């Protein structure tokens, strides 16, 4: 489970955790094991004006987009440790295994999360459309049944008047 906020790509120890996963197994196996959850920007960090204009869902999507876009351009050379000695040791291992390969793995991970999210969003929109269309069809059928009932009532009323 990767809880990924805006600072995640800049923290070398965070990157190291994924590096070890991607280094010791195939790319597909590693991707299958990673569950990446973008952490959202706290609502308080949005301006009052932004909170008034945007729905919670829009704000959530923007926060996720920001995190995922950071990962799409991930470069391990831009990640750092507080301790320069630790950073040097981690970089030596990463460079020996392949920093560019690791960068590509992280970018691919972000692409996959985006693809899954887009599929989910499309399915949710399709489901919402189907439900809306179903409700619309029920309303139309109800209106049609009401019109038919009115016609029958008119026939009954006319026959009663002509008696």
């Amino acid at each position: 489970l990767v809880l990924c906020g805006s600072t995640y790509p800049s923290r070398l120890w965070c990157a190291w955790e994924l590096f070890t996963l991607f280094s010791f197994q195939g790319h597909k196996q590693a991707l299958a094991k990673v569950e990446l959850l973008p952490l959202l920007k706290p609502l308080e960090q949005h301006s009052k004006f932004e909170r008034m204009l945007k729905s919670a869902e829009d704000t959530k999507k923007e926060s996720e987009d920001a995190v995922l876009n950071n990962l799409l351009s991930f470069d391990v050379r831009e990640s750092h440790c507080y301790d320069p000695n630790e950073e040097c040791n981690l970089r030596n291992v990463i460079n020996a295994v392949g920093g560019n390969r690791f960068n590509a793995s992280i970018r691919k991970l972000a692409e996959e999360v985006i693809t899954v999210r887009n599929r989910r969003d499309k399915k949710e929109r399709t489901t919402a459309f189907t439900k809306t269309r179903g409700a619309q069809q029920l309303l139309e059928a109800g209106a049609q049944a009401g019109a038919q009932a009115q016609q029958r009532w008119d026939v009954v009323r006319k026959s009663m008047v002509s008696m």
Side-chain angles (χ1 to χ4, degrees):
L1 176 63
V2 177
L3 300 174
C4 185
S6 59
T7 62
Y8 188 91
S10 65
R11 297 171 182 244
L12 190 55
W13 276 109
C14 294
W16 176 259
E17 291 173 358
L18 288 175
F19 174 78
T20 57
L21 176 70
F22 282 101
S23 295
F24 294 106
Q25 50 192 301
H27 186 79
K28 286 184 180 182
Q29 293 85 3
L31 283 176
K33 290 183 178 184
V34 174
E35 178 72 27
L36 188 138
L37 294 174
L39 293 178
L40 306 180
K41 181 178 173 184
L43 197 57
E44 308 83 53
Q45 290 184 7
H46 294 273
S47 73
K48 186 176 182 180
F49 183 69
E50 285 178 311
R51 290 193 305 261
M52 288 177 7
L53 290 179
K54 295 178 187 166
S55 71
E57 193 59 35
D58 288 342
T59 303
K60 176 184 174 206
K61 187 165 177 359
E62 284 180 8
S63 292
E64 285 180 353
D65 287 346
V67 169
L68 294 171
N69 285 334
N70 279 342
L71 291 178
L72 285 173
S73 59
F74 178 80
D75 188 339
V76 72
R77 294 174 297 187
E78 295 175 15
S79 301
H80 302 283
C81 289
Y82 177 75
D83 182 339
N85 294 319
E86 287 180 353
E87 184 171 331
C88 182
N89 290 334
L90 293 176
R91 289 198 184 285
N92 287 337
V93 175
I94 291 170
N95 291 333
V97 174
N100 289 334
R101 188 176 114 212
F102 176 56
N103 290 338
S105 295
I106 298 301
R107 292 172 187 157
K108 179 72 173 163
L109 172 64
E111 288 171 7
E112 295 223 354
V113 170
I114 291 169
T115 299
V116 167
R117 186 183 71 178
N118 289 343
R119 275 192 219 128
R120 181 196 68 215
D121 291 350
K122 183 178 179 183
K123 183 177 180 181
E124 287 173 1
R125 283 192 306 273
T126 301
T127 301
F129 174 78
T130 302
K131 287 179 180 178
T132 302
R133 183 67 185 134
Q136 184 180 5
Q137 287 171 341
L138 284 173
L139 287 172
E140 290 169 0
Q144 187 177 19
Q148 290 171 350
Q150 182 66 45
Q151 288 172 348
R152 286 192 295 272
W153 174 247
D154 290 343
V155 169
V156 169
R157 203 169 35 157
K158 285 180 186 176
S159 66
M160 290 175 60
V161 170
S162 63
M163 293 175 129

